[in-house]
Amino acid sequence: MSMANAVPSPATAVPDPAHIAIAGVSKTFRSRTGEVHALKDIHLDIRRGEFVSVLGPSGCGKSTLMMLVSGLVPASRGTITVGDKTIDRPNADVGIVFQQDVLLGWRSALQNVMMQAEIRKTDLEAARERARQLLKMVSLEGFEDAYPKELSGGMRQRVSICRALLHKPPLLLMDEPFGALDAMTRDQLQLDLMRLCADNEMTVFFITHSITEAVFLSDRVVVMSPRPGRIERILEIDLPRPRRLAMREDTKFTHYTRELTDIFRGLGVLREEEV
Amino acid sequence: MAAITEAGADARPKSPLRFLSAVSPAIWTLIALVIFWEIAVRVTKTPVFILPAPSRIAEVFAATWPRLMINAGLTLSEVLIGFSCAVAIGVPLAVLITYSRLAERCVYPLIVASQTIPKVAIAPLMLAWFGYGLTPKVVIVILLSFFPIVINAVVGLKSSTAEMLYLAQSMGASGWQTFWKFRLPQALPNIFAGLKLATVLSVIGAVVAEFIGADQGLGYLIVVAGASFDIARQFAAIIMISAIGMVFFAVIELAERIVVPWRDTNTIHAEA
């Protein structure tokens, strides 16, 4: 995509005050057995246009962190600001993608994407044009009128990504969006996602438990450890964009994945027999 | 492209009436049974006050047609008024139960518990309170058909996943938009399941109410015919009652195919 090449990589963009500032955030859930500390004292600043992955094993609170940033779940302590807004209620200036595609079964692919515009009561004609364009960008041209049950899992998740991007949100939140897909579909969707993200100033907050996925997509990888969920390390990924699948075999790439694997081994998240 | 071959998109036209073709084998079976019945009665020379042949029932049916129609009209109006009232009360109540924790805790257990009361047992009570007119019949129809409508609507309205509601919030959807664009369409298949159960129960309710105290209606016709051992006329009334039930059910089924076309396109494909 020539369009993608023309735009400077987000990492080299003009320094900007933090787009997302997470300051001293904790989250405690009440359960039958007492209080569960899902997140403890999280500090994280994210630049505008940055692609940040939060990487960790299940139960480390990474999904909770995304829900706090979206404002859909309130933090127990600390503050989160996105742009100039303090997040104390659901933030509608986001696009959100869950692990499940959450497509509405009674709407076609195009109508599912258009939901975003209908709820926001924006210009429907222009939105429809953009929706078609987005679907085309993820190779779903000709499937605009297909219903979710007629689409494969990968196609459905692509529709849900288009829906999240329709209103050009400044922030895209993704909670293990490719976790339920097979490996090859996953590769394709990672490429699709980077193509969609390349041509705007959108910040992406991406939750994953895949080390390779985090390195492949991100400008920075935030490593989290569980019980209580906290940030263990933050790793800058200095790889050129656009990223190519072949880069995953480069020494620089494998250096990053090895470093991340070592962190998890050190944390006892990954265990293996001594040789 | 892998993506395109993966798609199970089916270009077959989806006519709402197509389900009728699925019913036709059952119709042939029914015709076969009726023919067997006719032959069996003729061969064994069964007396007409025990079991009349279908041809005999058809004669009586034709002879008493005007009277059947007048009484069927009355029974049908009891069914339709009662059913409509049950929908008008049941669906809003289900919305209230879904949205209000207090309403759920106060009302829902009582609705469920009330189902242990046999409706037939309280029918005489309705008679004592509301007399012999239309009202007691309508009330009994409501009592019978109300329950599946409420329960299924509640199940449907609660079937929206947390993610779906989060998604709506992330779009800045108002409470009304969330209800109208997410929750209600999601609930429609369940709501229709409740309505279909209610059609059957409302016909039963009307007939039972007429058994207990009426001077017209199909239930009344059965009681009168039964008193004089006129089995053929009883059958004629029974046929009218099931015809009402079947047509009513089919109308709701058809409405479902139009309003909820996304629901079971797969099962239709499997049958067709």
Side-chain angles (χ1 to χ4, degrees):
Chain A
M1 285 244 115
S2 57
M3 203 164 30
N5 289 331
V7 173
S9 121
T12 62
V14 206
D16 196 27
H19 184 207
I20 306 176
I22 302 171
V25 163
S26 300
K27 179 68 186 175
T28 313
F29 290 108
R30 236 173 259 287
S31 78
R32 271 176 301 135
T33 52
E35 295 200 325
V36 178
H37 296 277
L39 291 170
K40 196 163 187 187
D41 202 27
I42 304 286
H43 291 268
L44 180 65
D45 284 349
I46 297 171
R47 293 185 299 273
R48 188 176 303 280
E50 195 176 17
F51 196 121
V52 171
S53 287
V54 178
L55 174 67
S58 45
C60 73
K62 54 191 191 301
S63 296
T64 306
L65 185 57
M66 188 201 85
M67 293 309 284
L68 297 187
V69 172
S70 71
L72 292 166
V73 173
S76 306
R77 204 172 309 130
T79 56
I80 297 173
T81 54
V82 175
D84 48 10
K85 253 197 302 199
T86 302
I87 302 302
D88 52 5
R89 71 187 64 148
N91 180 6
D93 276 344
V94 298
I96 197 159
V97 180
F98 296 101
Q99 181 169 357
Q100 305 302 322
D101 51 72
V102 204
L103 294 187
L104 308 178
W106 56 93
R107 289 177 158 245
S108 69
L110 183 68
Q111 288 169 336
N112 263 288
V113 178
M114 284 299 290
M115 188 64 138
Q116 190 76 256
E118 287 173 33
I119 297 290
R120 293 172 189 277
K121 299 196 166 89
T122 53
D123 177 8
L124 290 184
E125 266 318 301
R128 194 168 294 117
E129 194 48 47
R130 176 163 162 81
R132 285 184 187 282
Q133 200 185 330
L134 283 167
L135 288 169
K136 190 177 171 184
M137 278 180 82
V138 293
S139 319
L140 284 176
E141 200 176 15
F143 288 95
E144 293 88 350
D145 298 326
Y147 282 84
K149 65 165 42 165
E150 299 166 337
L151 300 173
S152 70
M155 296 164 96
R156 282 204 297 270
Q157 193 60 295
R158 272 180 268 177
V159 174
S160 97
I161 293 171
C162 293
R163 176 178 61 191
L165 294 177
L166 184 73
H167 55 305
K168 301 184 180 168
L171 173 60
L172 177 63
L173 301 169
M174 306 184 96
D175 186 4
E176 299 188 33
F178 310 142
L181 304 176
D182 65 86
M184 214 166 276
T185 308
R186 200 173 175 142
D187 285 351
Q188 185 57 53
L189 263 78
Q190 288 171 2
L191 294 169
D192 289 343
L193 175 63
M194 281 188 291
R195 190 153 17 104
L196 291 166
C197 295
D199 61 337
N200 61 33
E201 287 279 85
M202 186 172 61
T203 309
V204 186
F205 193 78
F206 189 96
I207 310 296
T208 180
H209 52 227
S210 160
I211 292 173
T212 333
E213 182 169 79
V215 174
F216 186 58
L217 294 172
S218 314
D219 300 313
R220 267 195 304 165
V221 176
V222 176
V223 180
M224 287 189 65
S225 63
R227 280 172 283 275
R230 67 204 132 78
I231 294 178
E232 194 64 35
R233 274 276 290 283
I234 297 176
L235 195 65
E236 293 271 350
I237 307 295
D238 184 20
L239 292 169
R241 288 187 187 270
R243 306 256 164 103
R244 302 267 174 229
L245 288 175
M247 283 183 189
R248 297 184 301 190
E249 278 83 54
D250 290 354
T251 42
K252 214 167 169 188
F253 190 97
T254 50
H255 171 80
Y256 288 130
T257 55
R258 189 172 308 125
E259 192 170 347
L260 289 166
T261 308
D262 285 341
I263 294 171
F264 288 118
R265 202 185 286 117
L267 288 169
V269 172
L270 296 173
R271 275 186 294 267
E272 55 189 350
E273 303 293 317
E274 295 296 326
V275 182
Chain B
M1 294 217 30
I4 289 167
T5 52
E6 272 173 45
D10 199 322
R12 242 182 302 191
K14 291 172 199 158
S15 158
L17 285 171
R18 207 149 54 84
F19 76 100
L20 287 176
S21 67
V23 176
S24 61
I27 290 172
W28 289 113
T29 310
L30 184 66
I31 290 170
L33 283 172
V34 170
I35 291 169
F36 173 76
W37 175 0
E38 180 78 36
I39 293 168
V41 168
R42 279 168 191 248
V43 168
T44 60
K45 297 194 167 58
T46 308
V48 78
F49 57 86
I50 301 287
L51 183 66
S55 56
R56 171 76 191 136
I57 295 169
E59 280 167 30
V60 172
F61 198 90
T64 57
W65 177 250
R67 201 168 161 221
L68 273 174
M69 281 308 281
I70 290 166
N71 287 282
L74 186 78
T75 304
L76 182 62
S77 57
E78 292 161 6
V79 167
L80 291 182
I81 295 170
F83 179 85
S84 308
C85 291
V87 174
I89 303 166
V91 174
L93 189 64
V95 174
L96 187 68
I97 289 170
T98 308
Y99 276 91
S100 159
R101 184 94 184 96
L102 183 69
E104 183 181 10
R105 293 176 66 182
C106 291
V107 180
Y108 203 54
L110 295 183
I111 293 174
V112 175
S114 73
Q115 289 311 296
T116 57
I117 304 169
K119 300 300 172 306
V120 183
I122 54 167
L125 201 60
M126 297 300 126
L127 221 65
W129 288 347
F130 300 111
Y132 273 81
L134 193 64
T135 318
K137 282 87 180 176
V138 168
V139 171
I140 291 169
V141 169
I142 294 172
L143 287 176
L144 253 94
S145 55
F146 166 79
F147 183 69
I149 295 175
V150 176
I151 299 295
N152 282 285
V154 168
V155 169
L157 289 168
K158 287 192 166 193
S159 69
S160 295
T161 60
E163 278 90 357
M164 196 184 277
L165 300 176
Y166 281 144
L167 182 77
Q169 279 188 287
S170 82
M171 293 175 173
S174 64
W176 178 247
Q177 282 177 318
T178 305
F179 175 75
W180 196 243
K181 296 225 171 203
F182 292 84
R183 269 208 145 113
L184 187 62
Q186 176 76 13
L188 280 176
N190 291 94
I191 290 175
F192 270 100
L195 294 185
K196 283 193 276 187
L197 277 171
T199 58
V200 179
L201 290 174
S202 60
V203 175
I204 293 173
V207 172
V208 164
E210 288 170 353
F211 277 174
I212 288 164
D215 47 15
Q216 44 190 334
L218 292 171
Y220 166 76
L221 282 192
I222 289 178
V223 173
V224 171
S228 56
F229 290 98
D230 193 340
I231 309 283
R233 269 170 63 193
Q234 286 192 51
F235 266 111
I238 290 170
I239 291 166
M240 277 311 274
I241 291 167
S242 31
I244 288 175
M246 278 190 275
V247 170
F248 193 15
F249 188 91
V251 166
I252 299 291
E253 176 92 12
L254 184 64
E256 182 183 19
R257 307 260 157 188
I258 294 164
V259 178
V260 196
W262 66 89
R263 194 188 136 229
D264 46 9
T265 46
N266 277 350
T267 55
I268 291 174
H269 289 172
E271 287 165 6

